[in-house]
Amino acid sequence: MESFVYDRRARIFGLVLVPILFVPVIWVIATLPDMGPNPPSDLVFLLAALVIALIVISLYMIVAMGVRVSIDSRAGTVSRTYKFLGWTFRRTGHRLSQFDRVSLHRVRGTYRATLLGRESEVVVGYSSNQGYTRRVAEDIARFSGLKMVDRL
């Protein structure tokens, strides 16, 4: 079983927010020709630093929103995979036997479903939509055979 950690609405919001971050930069770059043939070097340096920072933040948001959790009940493993354009950035794996329950709880206005054990915790669902997070928690509990603890 494989599922996204974040719901569809959060992933779409993250992808829409990325281009919006570039609007002020594009506006300033568009005004550079009005400053004459030699714009101030400190402004050019500031713009370059801002563009690099926005690119790094955008890539991080895209990768963070694309986190997937996979459970292989036959092999007894749980893995979190960070992907970008089909390329796997990072994969973390745990034994399913390390966990004793699936917990559904509220954290700062959002709902989170986690696999909980004595030594580790893996977030398997995170959303502002309680229904989505509950479905993820129930599916994970049913598929993994662990009991679900509802703390809502």
Side-chain angles (χ1 to χ4, degrees):
M1 175 187 171
E2 182 174 272
S3 68
F4 283 101
V5 171
Y6 297 97
D7 66 342
R8 181 178 166 90
R9 183 175 33 182
R11 292 193 316 267
I12 289 173
F13 177 75
L15 292 177
V16 168
L17 187 63
V18 168
I20 291 174
L21 291 174
F22 283 98
V23 169
V25 175
I26 292 170
W27 178 74
V28 171
I29 290 173
T31 61
L32 279 178
D34 295 339
M35 294 182 189
N38 295 326
S41 60
D42 55 346
L43 179 65
V44 173
F45 175 74
L46 182 64
L47 277 177
L50 186 61
V51 167
I52 290 170
L54 287 176
I55 289 172
V56 169
I57 289 170
S58 301
L59 288 175
Y60 175 77
M61 285 180 61
I62 291 170
V63 170
M65 289 295 179
V67 179
R68 297 177 184 183
V69 172
S70 303
I71 296 179
D72 187 356
S73 59
R74 281 189 270 151
T77 59
V78 177
S79 62
R80 283 176 60 106
T81 307
Y82 298 82
K83 290 186 177 183
F84 177 66
L85 299 175
W87 186 55
T88 301
F89 272 90
R90 182 177 176 208
R91 180 184 299 262
T92 58
H94 302 277
R95 302 284 310 154
L96 193 55
S97 60
Q98 292 178 336
F99 305 104
D100 54 357
R101 66 187 179 274
V102 179
S103 176
L104 176 64
H105 51 279
R106 186 178 172 101
V107 178
R108 291 180 294 223
T110 59
Y111 301 94
R112 186 170 22 179
T114 56
L115 285 170
L116 289 176
R118 291 182 187 165
E119 300 174 6
S120 48
E121 174 181 354
V122 175
V123 177
V124 294
Y126 194 86
S127 174
S128 61
N129 182 349
Q130 181 183 2
Y132 171 81
T133 311
R134 183 177 298 280
R135 267 192 316 277
V136 168
E138 290 170 350
D139 290 346
I140 296 290
R142 185 175 50 250
F143 192 78
S144 65
L146 299 172
K147 69 176 181 171
M148 186 175 128
V149 178
D150 189 348
R151 296 193 176 170
L152 296 180

